[in-house]
Amino acid sequence: MKYCLIFSLTLLISGCGLLPSGTSFKQAATAQTTTLQTTTTQKNSHQLYHSIGGDEGIERITDAFIKQIARDPDILPYFAKSSVSHFKQGFISHLCATVKGPCEYKGDSMIDIHTGMNINEKDFNRTVELLIAAMEEVGVSYRDQNKILKALAPLRSEIIHY
Amino acid sequence: MKMHVIKLLLLLPMLLAANMSVAGGKLLATPGVAQVEGSGGGGLVPWAQLAGYATEDEIALSTFCSQANVKDFQLNSCGGQVNFYDRLELSFAKQTFNVEPLSLTLSQNIMGAKVRIYGDLVYSSWPQLSAGIQHKSLASKEVPYSLGAARASGTDAYLAASKLHLGLLAGYNVLWNLTTRYSDANEMGLLGFGGPNSTPSLHTEGSVAILLNKHLAVGSEYRQKPDNLGLNESDWQDVFIAWFPNKYINITAAYLDLGAIAKVPDQTGWYLSISGSYSL
């Protein structure tokens, strides 16, 4: 709980500091971001969380993912009405929880988020490819990429065709 | 004017690339390669995956040419597949088989159809399941009949299950496929179908592969075969390496151990296959 609070605070700061809250995905494509320095200490966390660089690594993946989305003409429209900082915050805490980091995802359920988007298999897979490209870009090892995808894969049924 | 043409030429590949990045929703390497009888699969075994990268609302067109060179025989197989909406695969292959000791060439055509019954190789909790048929007709009938084959054409039916496990082995993705085939084909049909006292029977075929990175897979296959003609027909096996530089090209190489063919023993050698795919 305590970690979560600290983590949410750092996220809030990061959300404001790195990309202005009004930033759209399109603007994010060219935005320069700086790496957030976190001092949060983590104990008893999962190895994967540390292996991908902890909070900083997760933020780097998320920033790279946002830029990949912003550059993709097929996927970007799904984010037309999204705010980058809101997405970033949610994705960071979700990914952090997925890799068993010291945080808890308290955002909306995957079904709620994707309802009405009518995402098909092609666009889902394309987005997975963008995430892979983002992880490659920031130097996540192939084996860690697979572990992350494995942890995320069960969510597919809560994302497509809603 | 000239400048415009140059600009247009420069722009064209970019447009194509932008357009092409859209089509073919599946993840790289996951459809597997072209099977020697034309179906999507491994080299020897038809897999549950359908050829090409098409997803539920796409069509994929694929084409391939493969060559197997073992001690006394050579097989060429070329053909293609159409994948409709990741549901139905129609395939065709033309095989020519050179029997070097006899300076003889046998050939057959294979029409295939495969339906995905359930699942997604990567994402469903249970393996992807498909059923297919391969209808084969020999162009050269004299040799099979002289060896005792009952027919010069036949139809194999198979059921295939396959699954890719993300990060299963120390973070590497592992793929397996298990196929059971109902067939009485002799040497895949090249020596005809059936024999003096034979009925079609079930045969097991299996493949396992590990993805070393997103472009490179290594693996092994095994295929049980009947022995209707009493020629000590052997089961087949291989170890392969498959390279997927992108979603349009695949190159696969394998070391083959085909055992005895028509009583000629120790038929080991090499296999090379190249295939191309495009999704709309």
Side-chain angles (χ1 to χ4, degrees):
Chain A
M1 190 60 208
K2 199 170 151 196
Y3 288 134
C4 232
L5 202 67
I6 297 169
F7 193 68
S8 314
L9 278 172
T10 44
L11 281 178
L12 211 64
I13 296 162
S14 80
C16 302
L18 295 174
L19 292 164
S21 53
T23 312
S24 73
F25 271 79
K26 214 160 193 172
Q27 288 165 324
T30 49
Q32 291 294 313
T33 54
T34 51
T35 313
L36 175 76
Q37 298 297 317
T38 41
T39 49
T40 326
T41 51
Q42 292 92 24
K43 287 172 197 164
N44 305 322
S45 293
H46 193 269
Q47 184 209 338
L48 180 56
Y49 168 78
H50 292 296
S51 178
I52 62 171
D55 291 355
E56 290 176 38
I58 288 168
E59 189 177 7
R60 278 195 294 270
I61 293 169
T62 307
D63 282 336
F65 185 39
I66 289 170
K67 287 186 182 175
Q68 291 282 346
I69 290 167
R71 284 195 293 258
D72 193 286
D74 293 301
I75 304 306
L76 182 60
Y78 287 107
F79 293 83
K81 289 175 186 163
S82 315
S83 115
V84 168
S85 62
H86 179 76
F87 172 82
K88 179 173 171 173
Q89 195 170 323
F91 193 84
I92 285 178
S93 69
H94 190 274
L95 182 55
C96 176
T98 301
V99 297
K100 298 191 169 67
C103 34
E104 200 184 333
Y105 175 68
K106 288 182 170 174
D108 297 331
S109 77
M110 288 300 118
I111 292 177
D112 285 346
I113 291 172
H114 299 96
T115 295
M117 290 190 174
N118 216 350
I119 296 169
N120 62 14
E121 290 175 354
K122 180 181 82 172
D123 287 347
F124 175 86
N125 287 354
R126 177 72 193 143
T127 310
V128 173
E129 287 176 334
L130 296 179
L131 178 61
I132 293 171
M135 293 192 287
E136 277 176 352
E137 195 182 309
V138 301
V140 175
S141 73
Y142 176 67
R143 294 157 71 185
D144 284 346
Q145 288 175 32
N146 293 336
K147 289 177 193 169
I148 290 174
L149 294 179
K150 180 194 169 77
L152 291 172
L155 300 173
R156 179 187 188 252
S157 58
E158 299 169 19
I159 292 174
I160 62 169
H161 301 152
Y162 277 101
Chain B
M1 185 61 204
K2 218 172 182 180
M3 204 56 199
H4 282 292
V5 174
I6 292 169
K7 269 185 191 164
L8 203 68
L9 284 174
L10 284 172
L11 203 64
L12 202 62
M14 286 167 67
L15 285 173
L16 277 175
N19 189 29
M20 275 155 56
S21 72
V22 180
K26 276 189 216 158
L27 300 176
L28 190 62
T30 57
V33 302
Q35 196 247 339
V36 76
E37 288 152 302
S39 306
L44 291 181
V45 181
W47 288 357
Q49 293 101 299
L50 274 51
Y53 288 87
T55 51
E56 61 192 351
D57 37 25
E58 295 172 291
I59 292 174
L61 309 170
S62 310
T63 178
F64 73 95
C65 260
S66 306
Q67 187 174 80
N69 275 298
V70 291
K71 225 170 76 188
D72 299 292
F73 302 89
Q74 186 194 60
L75 177 73
N76 291 294
S77 178
C78 291
Q81 307 95 3
V82 187
N83 172 343
F84 295 95
Y85 314 114
D86 198 25
R87 180 58 70 186
L88 172 69
E89 172 194 286
L90 298 180
S91 61
F92 173 79
K94 184 174 180 63
Q95 296 183 334
T96 55
F97 184 60
N98 299 319
V99 183
E100 279 156 19
L102 303 176
S103 305
L104 182 78
T105 298
L106 304 170
S107 75
Q108 70 171 347
N109 291 338
I110 305 171
M111 310 282 291
K114 173 163 49 173
V115 176
R116 182 175 61 86
I117 298 168
Y118 163 84
D120 180 280
L121 175 78
V122 181
Y123 294 106
S124 55
S125 10
W126 293 92
Q128 179 170 331
L129 196 66
S130 297
I133 53 164
Q134 292 176 337
H135 178 73
K136 306 168 180 184
S137 33
L138 267 171
S140 10
K141 302 178 170 110
E142 297 78 13
V143 175
Y145 284 142
S146 71
L147 291 170
R151 287 167 289 113
S153 75
T155 305
D156 293 355
Y158 62 89
L159 195 64
S162 65
K163 176 86 187 135
L164 184 136
H165 300 273
L166 289 164
L168 181 73
L169 212 69
Y172 291 103
N173 299 339
V174 175
L175 181 150
W176 60 262
N177 177 86
L178 200 62
T179 297
T180 180
R181 183 195 296 254
Y182 186 70
S183 167
D184 67 349
N186 308 318
E187 297 298 356
M188 206 162 56
L190 292 163
L191 298 184
F193 301 82
N197 303 301
S198 70
T199 50
S201 50
L202 289 172
H203 309 278
T204 303
E205 306 175 5
S207 317
V208 63
I210 178 164
L211 281 86
L212 299 177
N213 59 50
K214 73 177 188 181
H215 299 289
L216 209 59
V218 292
S220 182
E221 296 196 284
Y222 192 90
R223 174 167 170 170
Q224 247 182 6
K225 287 168 50 254
D227 184 22
N228 303 319
L229 300 175
L231 295 173
N232 303 330
E233 184 166 338
S234 304
D235 293 351
W236 284 350
Q237 50 197 310
D238 72 23
V239 284
F240 66 83
I241 180 162
W243 181 51
F244 302 85
N246 53 48
K247 288 187 184 175
Y248 311 107
I249 291 177
N250 160 253
I251 297 171
T252 301
Y255 176 75
L256 301 170
D257 182 353
L258 306 185
I261 296 176
K263 283 192 169 162
V264 188
D266 305 324
Q267 297 304 315
T268 56
W270 297 92
Y271 171 87
L272 188 69
S273 175
I274 179 159
S275 62
S277 193
Y278 187 76
S279 302
L280 331 155

